[in-house]
């Protein structure tokens, strides 16, 4: 998040470089936001609209209790997906009703600031959405950036000017104050980063001022120029700019002068690149959003070696063409939008554009197919993170597959391979949209791709609450599979028919279909499909009263997934097993199973399963007499269920059970207390709700008696594992939490016990085992805190 302020919630990126100048603009935008609920920043590309918006948002964050949220629209070209982009930025999963109604319902009850960035190519749909939100959400403010205003009522517009510049006749004498001009200060900052120790002095001040004037105070152009100090002097930079721009000033008279200047600066940067770097720059524009090195090597390096590709990427980073970003251990790159547009023009001049788009599609098809093949493995979590990051490229590849019937089969393979990812991320509507479009383009050609696509469409339609569409697609797919005489296809459509029967509350029929599909998948050794049918059969058998068969399927699913380090389906199965254990009266075992399921759901950010687990834990809280806690958990589960695909799609009986437990809790604590706790739970963030449900925030094992520790139950578990010699990574794997969370627990333990090393924790735990206090863990004596044994 930018350094100007802090917020409890939101998604503002951290500033990687200093924010220079703009004091007047920041104050003016904040003033406009205080008077108008929609403020649009306009200006030429490269003038710094986005950076200004993010700084204002950070500075204003304390005024928005529900956060400041940035929605980047620069890579979005589907006018119908603007609402989905906002939902995604707000971390809202698909729910019932239209996307816009879901968004309005969420925002209407909150006080937040929404940044809509790079709207110029989507002005009409963005304007329509902004108008709808502002009419329905009284505490919403919108800050937009665009090359033109949105043109709706109540909009305040601010044109973002270039940075301030010294006049041509102003000299750099001592005390002249040239560095106080924003353009000069920006050049000094970026030049100092490129060449440590660089300063603006009496001897070079006039030259730097001339450079900034030549670049018309445009931040992007100044930054591109400043980095050239790595290879030339300020005098040489000015000379190159002067020679180049003598032509540009009499070029296209229809374009604004600043736009000509920026074009000239990028032309000049392009000319400073080697032939190989220019070629790579153009090819990298095939990516949407960010990309990783393996994608560069696989798509863009067909005329160069791998080492040359790596060197080329490094050179483009050094020349400020590429931006390097690192998150969660993965290094990704991206092009600034202006540089990407420029490179695309150069690429189209080579005649390589169409073939490169196909190479891009082929590479990302291979990526998602690898993810599907590797889904039931310890690498599942990493694959989910990679697919999260690659969504713009995957969508661009799918869009390419809509260009003709000859490309549609590849698109169908991609879309069906993405089905497990779409399920865990709750992207049901997106999956349905792509599959419907691809099937229409493909034109009805028979084949396994079409059968599988109809299977996924049937299942997604049912999960999305459209049983008629689910039945229709299952029928079409079944007929096609029978005609095509494909055994796997027939089994898939039997699975689809089983799921439709579940949606239609015909469990006996569903069991027959699932038994049929399971037998085929088991014989073929198709592990992913087999798990799908096992999970379906477990639900259908339970609904049909065959508890024995249901438990057999759950146990087999857990065994298959646990032995392979899988997380998503193991979480589903553990929660289902917990529900059945509770039904048998095994409350302790049920709680343990459901908490394991929640831990797994949290590890992959599977909010659908998490909502189901938290709901079941609320029932267990009622069983334990913790009725206030139960109400709070029910509220949290409801919020998750609204922002994700409904958990009742996985556990169909949740709604029926919920009413009974809610009524019981209300009878005990009263409606007023229940509603207060329920509201508290509804306002809880997912991370906090999960921690609460897992008893990681409370004082489950805190004793009021003196002499005992105040470690939580989770911290006691971590302390035991530290004593066994496990590293933070090993503890994280053991408890199904992130390594950072494990490290945080260790730090809390050290702080609470007054220790300074893991060795002290281990020795203390050994003493507790040898001399158990009878209740809880006894606090360490002063000799432990001093490190003496």
């Amino acid at each position: 998040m930018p350094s100007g302020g802090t917020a409890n919630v939101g998604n503002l990126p951290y500033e990687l470089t200093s924010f220079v100048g703009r004091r007047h603009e920041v104050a003016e935008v904040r003033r406009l936001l205080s008077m108008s609920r929609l403020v649009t920043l306009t200006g030429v590309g490269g003038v710094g609209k986005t950076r200004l918006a993010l700084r204002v948002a950070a500075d204003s964050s304390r005024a928005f209790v529900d956060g400041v949220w940035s929605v980047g629209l620069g890579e979005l070209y589907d006018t119908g997906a603007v609402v989905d982009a906002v939902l995604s930025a707000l971390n809202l999963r698909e729910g019932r009703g239209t996307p816009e109604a879901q968004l309005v319902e969420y925002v209407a009850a909150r006080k937040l600031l929404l940044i809509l960035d790079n709207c110029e190519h989507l002005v009409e749909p963005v304007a329509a959405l902004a108008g709808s939100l502002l009419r329905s959400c009284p505490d919403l403010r919108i800050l937009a950036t665009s090359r033109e205003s949105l043109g709706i009522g109540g909009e305040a517009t601010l044109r973002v000017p270039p940075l301030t510049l010294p006049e041509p006749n102003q000299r750099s004498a001592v005390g002249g104050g040239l560095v106080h001009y924003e353009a000069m200060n920006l050049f000094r900052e970026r030049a100092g980063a490129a060449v440590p120790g660089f300063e603006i002095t009496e001897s070079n001040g006039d030259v730097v001022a001339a450079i900034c004037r030549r670049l018309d105070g445009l931040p992007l152009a100044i930054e591109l120029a400043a980095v050239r100090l790595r290879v030339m002097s300020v005098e040489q930079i000015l000379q190159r700019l002067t020679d180049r721009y003598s032509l540009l000033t009499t070029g296209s008279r229809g374009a604004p002068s600043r736009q000509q200047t920026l074009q000239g600066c990028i032309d000049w940067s392009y000319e400073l690149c080697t032939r190989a770097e220019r070629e790579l720059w153009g090819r990298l524009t095939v990516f949407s959003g960010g990309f990783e090195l393996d994608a560069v090597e696989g798509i863009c390096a067909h005329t160069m070696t791998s080492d040359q590709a790596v060197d080329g990427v490094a050179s483009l980073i050094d020349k400020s063409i590429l931006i390097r970003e690192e998150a969660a251990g993965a290094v990704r790159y991206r092009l600034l939008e202006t540089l990407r547009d420029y490179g695309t023009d150069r690429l189209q001049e080579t005649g390589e554009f169409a073939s490169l788009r196909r190479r891009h599609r082929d590479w990302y098809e291979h990526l998602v197919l690898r993810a599907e093949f590797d889904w039931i493995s310890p690498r599942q979590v990493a694959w989910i993170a990679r697919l999260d990051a690659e969504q713009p490229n995957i969508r661009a590849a799918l869009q390419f597959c809509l260009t003709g019937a000859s490309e549609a089969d590849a698109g169908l393979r991609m879309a069906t391979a993405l089905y497990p990812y779409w399920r865990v991320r709750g992207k049901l509507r997106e999956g349905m949209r792509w599959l419907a479009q691809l099937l229409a383009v493909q034109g009805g050609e028979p084949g396994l791709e079409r059968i599988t696509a109809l299977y996924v469409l049937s299942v997604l339609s049912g999960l999305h609450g459209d049983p008629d569409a689910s039945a229709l697609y299952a029928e079409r797919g079944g007929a096609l599979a029978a005609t095509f005489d494909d055994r796997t296809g027939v089994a898939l459509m039997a699975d689809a028919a089983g799921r439709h029967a579940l949606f239609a509350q015909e469990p006996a029929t569903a069991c027959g279909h699932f038994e049929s599909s399971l037998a085929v998948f088991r014989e073929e050794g198709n592990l992913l499909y087999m798990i799908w049918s096992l999970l379906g059969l477990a639900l259908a058998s339970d609904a049909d009263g065959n508890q024995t068969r249901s438990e057999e399927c759950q146990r087999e699913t857990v065994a298959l997934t646990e032995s392979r380090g899988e997380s998503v389906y193991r979480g589903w199965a553990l929660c289902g097993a917990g529900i059945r254990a509770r039904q048998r009266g095994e409350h302790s075992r049920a709680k343990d199973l459901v908490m394991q399921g929640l831990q797994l759901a949290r590890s992959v950010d599977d909010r659908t399963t998490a909502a189901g687990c938290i709901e079941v834990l609320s029932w267990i809280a009622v069983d334990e007499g913790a009725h206030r806690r139960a109400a709070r958990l029910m509220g949290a589960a409801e919020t998750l269920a609204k922002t994700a695909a409904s958990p009742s799609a996985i556990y169909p009986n949740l709604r029926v059970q919920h009413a009974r437990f809610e009524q019981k809790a209300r009878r005990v604590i009263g409606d007023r207390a229940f509603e207060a706790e329920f509201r508290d739970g509804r306002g809880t963030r997912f991370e906090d709700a999960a921690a609460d449900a897992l008893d990681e925030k409370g004082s489950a094992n805190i004793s009021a008696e003196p002499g005992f520790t105040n470690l939580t139950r989770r911290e006691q578990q971590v302390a035991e594992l530290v004593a066994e010699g496990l590293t933070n990574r090993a503890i994280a794997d053991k408890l199904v939490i992130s390594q950072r969370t494990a490290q945080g627990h260790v730090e809390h333990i050290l702080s609470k016990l007054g220790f300074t090393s893991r060795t002290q924790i281990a020795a203390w735990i050994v003493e507790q085992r040898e001399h158990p206090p009878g209740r809880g863990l006894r606090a360490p004596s002063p000799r432990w805190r001093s490190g003496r044994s």
Side-chain angles (χ1 to χ4, degrees):
M1 182 176 295
S3 59
T6 59
N8 293 324
V9 290
N11 67 344
L12 292 185
Y14 286 93
E15 285 186 344
L16 300 179
T17 56
S18 58
F19 184 84
V20 177
R22 300 295 195 194
R23 181 177 299 175
H24 170 74
E25 287 80 14
V26 168
E28 180 63 10
V29 176
R30 295 189 70 176
R31 186 187 68 81
L32 291 174
L33 272 176
S34 71
M35 299 187 302
S36 175
R37 296 174 57 218
L38 169 63
V39 176
T40 302
L41 307 183
T42 64
V44 67
V47 79
K49 300 183 293 294
T50 298
R51 192 69 186 271
L52 174 59
L54 292 175
R55 168 47 64 107
V56 170
D59 287 349
S60 307
S61 60
R62 295 185 186 278
F64 298 93
V65 295
D66 295 301
V68 286
W69 302 87
S70 178
V71 186
L73 302 175
E75 299 294 339
L76 192 68
Y77 297 98
D78 182 356
T79 57
V82 172
V83 178
D84 288 339
V86 179
L87 287 171
S88 179
L90 289 169
N91 294 320
L92 298 180
R93 308 304 169 88
E94 293 176 7
R96 303 292 180 180
T98 67
E100 187 167 325
Q102 181 189 354
L103 182 59
V104 168
E105 180 184 2
Y106 179 84
V107 177
R110 288 167 170 80
K111 185 175 184 179
L112 57 82
L113 173 64
L114 195 62
I115 302 171
L116 301 178
D117 192 28
N118 290 321
C119 304
E120 53 269 1
H121 59 303
L122 297 166
V123 168
E124 290 186 7
V126 171
L129 176 61
S132 176
L133 287 174
L134 291 170
R135 284 191 296 271
S136 305
C137 308
D139 290 324
L140 170 68
R141 291 287 191 277
I142 296 177
L143 181 57
T145 72
S146 176
R147 295 182 188 181
E148 61 179 299
S149 63
L150 300 185
I152 63 177
E155 179 185 27
T157 302
L158 176 70
R159 185 184 68 83
V160 179
L163 300 175
T164 57
L165 290 162
E167 294 296 327
N169 59 354
Q170 188 167 347
R171 306 296 298 172
S172 61
V174 177
L178 288 183
V179 293
H180 294 299
Y181 287 95
E182 293 170 339
M184 299 285 286
N185 199 14
L186 178 63
F187 188 96
R188 179 181 61 82
E189 291 262 356
R190 301 303 184 257
V195 180
F198 176 85
E199 288 292 343
I200 295 178
T201 63
E202 288 187 38
S203 61
N204 66 18
D206 290 337
V207 179
V208 173
I211 291 172
C212 292
R213 284 193 294 269
R214 273 292 175 187
L215 299 179
D216 222 3
L218 289 172
L220 175 58
I222 291 171
E223 292 189 351
L224 289 171
V227 77
R228 301 304 170 216
L229 283 176
R230 293 175 179 173
V231 292
M232 60 182 68
S233 66
V234 289
E235 289 80 4
Q236 289 172 312
I237 291 173
L238 179 59
Q239 182 63 39
R240 296 293 294 268
L241 284 172
T242 302
D243 290 343
R244 184 62 176 167
Y245 288 171
S246 63
L247 297 174
L248 291 176
T249 53
T250 56
S252 174
R253 299 186 181 215
S257 60
R258 284 186 296 275
Q259 194 169 22
Q260 296 176 28
T261 303
L262 181 59
Q263 176 73 31
C265 183
I266 302 175
D267 280 338
W268 169 66
S269 296
Y270 188 74
E271 290 172 5
L272 284 178
C273 292
T274 66
R275 179 178 178 180
E277 289 166 353
R278 294 179 194 175
E279 184 178 79
L280 184 57
W281 180 352
R283 289 176 178 175
L284 292 177
T285 63
V286 76
F287 292 106
S288 293
F291 49 90
E292 294 187 21
L293 187 59
D294 58 349
V296 176
E297 294 172 316
I299 299 170
C300 304
H302 47 286
T303 60
M304 59 184 76
T305 67
S306 178
D307 287 344
Q308 288 172 332
V310 173
D311 290 343
V313 168
S315 295
L316 292 177
I317 292 172
D318 287 342
K319 294 181 177 180
S320 295
I321 306 303
L322 272 183
I323 296 175
R324 178 188 184 276
E325 299 172 325
E326 186 170 355
V331 175
R332 293 180 65 80
Y333 314 97
R334 66 179 177 89
L335 284 161
L336 291 172
E337 183 183 356
T338 306
L339 300 182
R340 183 172 179 267
D341 290 345
Y342 181 93
T344 299
D345 291 341
R346 303 289 80 77
L347 177 65
Q348 289 176 330
E349 292 170 0
T350 69
E352 231 188 342
F353 185 71
S355 62
L356 202 63
R357 285 194 67 194
R358 183 169 284 104
R359 288 178 63 86
H360 177 274
R361 190 278 313 279
D362 291 346
W363 196 89
Y364 279 99
E365 177 191 357
H366 182 59
L367 180 79
V368 298
L369 289 174
R370 278 166 48 212
E372 182 194 39
F373 178 80
D374 215 18
W375 196 255
I376 310 299
S377 78
R379 292 171 293 281
Q380 184 186 68
V381 176
W383 274 119
I384 292 172
R386 181 69 187 270
L387 294 177
D388 281 341
E390 296 291 3
Q391 285 303 291
N393 283 304
I394 289 170
R395 289 168 182 147
L398 288 169
Q399 190 69 38
F400 177 80
C401 294
L402 296 176
T403 58
S406 61
E407 310 292 351
D409 279 353
L412 290 175
R413 287 191 295 272
M414 285 187 69
T416 53
L418 285 165
Y419 165 62
Y421 170 78
W422 282 332
R423 280 293 302 270
V424 75
R425 282 291 175 260
K427 296 179 180 290
L428 311 184
R429 193 183 304 111
E430 178 172 357
M432 293 164 62
R433 185 169 61 238
W434 282 117
L435 285 163
Q437 292 180 83
L438 289 162
L439 284 169
V441 170
Q442 198 237 15
E445 289 297 319
L448 187 57
E449 290 91 355
R450 190 170 187 85
I451 296 169
T452 309
L454 288 167
Y455 164 79
V456 175
L457 253 180
S458 174
V459 176
L460 292 180
S461 297
L463 292 171
H464 201 251
D466 191 347
D468 292 338
S470 174
L472 177 64
Y473 290 127
E475 182 181 345
R476 288 180 181 175
L480 183 59
T483 302
F484 194 61
D485 195 26
D486 183 274
R487 194 161 181 259
T488 300
V490 170
L492 269 176
M493 299 320 300
D495 184 284
R499 295 183 189 282
H500 174 67
L502 264 180
F503 300 143
Q505 297 183 346
E506 299 172 357
T509 302
C511 287
H513 288 305
F514 285 127
E515 292 283 13
S516 172
S517 62
L518 179 61
V520 174
F521 298 146
R522 195 186 299 279
E523 183 179 333
E524 293 181 344
N526 191 319
L527 185 60
L528 180 61
Y529 289 2
M530 194 168 83
I531 288 172
W532 291 352
S533 287
L534 279 170
L535 288 166
L537 183 56
L539 291 174
S541 299
D542 182 51
D544 197 37
N546 189 346
Q547 306 302 321
T548 301
R549 183 59 172 142
S550 178
E551 290 172 14
E552 287 174 354
C553 293
Q554 295 288 359
R555 282 196 298 270
E556 185 174 1
T557 301
V558 171
L560 288 171
T561 53
E562 187 171 26
S563 64
R564 290 165 175 81
E566 191 272 346
S567 299
V568 173
Y569 300 129
R570 182 157 45 120
W572 293 12
L574 285 168
C575 186
I579 293 173
R580 272 169 282 286
R582 209 210 125 268
Q583 290 169 344
R584 293 193 302 270
E586 301 172 4
H587 291 178
S588 178
R589 174 169 169 73
K591 187 173 184 178
D592 183 56
L593 289 169
V594 176
M595 291 179 84
Q596 288 182 53
L598 179 55
Q599 288 172 332
L600 289 165
R602 182 174 62 175
S603 73
V604 293
D605 196 23
D606 177 3
R607 302 192 180 190
T608 301
T609 302
C613 290
I614 292 174
E615 173 68 28
V616 177
L617 288 170
S618 76
W619 307 347
I620 294 172
V622 172
D623 294 333
E624 295 174 340
H627 299 97
R628 289 181 177 273
R629 170 178 165 81
R632 189 170 65 252
L633 293 179
M634 286 179 186
E638 179 178 284
T639 294
L640 279 176
K642 286 185 175 180
T643 60
S646 173
S648 61
I650 302 174
Y651 316 108
N653 294 325
L654 286 185
R655 289 181 181 176
V656 177
Q657 296 281 354
H658 172 89
R660 182 164 64 88
F661 285 99
E662 178 180 336
Q663 186 178 25
K664 186 174 180 180
R666 284 180 181 273
R667 280 200 308 268
V668 174
I669 63 175
D671 288 341
R672 180 176 296 181
F674 182 93
E675 292 295 341
E677 294 289 348
F678 191 84
R679 283 195 302 271
D680 187 36
R682 285 190 63 182
T684 306
R685 294 185 302 166
F686 169 55
E687 295 79 5
D688 293 333
D692 186 16
L694 292 169
D695 209 15
E696 293 175 350
K697 297 179 64 179
S699 54
N701 286 318
I702 296 177
S703 173
E705 297 178 18
F708 289 89
T709 76
N710 63 344
L711 297 187
T712 65
R713 181 170 61 183
R714 172 64 71 175
E715 289 166 350
Q716 292 177 25
Q717 290 176 315
V718 172
E720 294 278 355
L721 295 175
V722 168
E724 293 175 15
L726 273 65
T727 63
N728 288 344
R729 180 181 292 277
I731 292 172
D733 293 341
K734 182 83 170 178
L735 298 180
V736 199
I737 57 179
S738 71
Q739 187 174 345
R740 178 176 294 180
T741 300
Q743 180 181 343
H745 285 315
V746 172
E747 291 173 354
H748 290 159
I749 293 167
L750 291 170
S751 175
K752 287 181 178 181
L753 300 181
F755 289 163
T756 59
S757 72
R758 299 168 77 95
T759 303
Q760 288 173 292
I761 296 175
W764 175 68
I765 286 290
V766 170
E767 182 184 60
Q768 302 298 316
R769 292 170 179 167
E770 292 175 351
H771 306 287
R775 183 172 183 266
L777 294 179
R778 191 173 296 279
S781 64
R783 69 189 181 93
W784 284 113
R785 294 193 176 93
S786 65
R788 298 192 301 271
S789 58

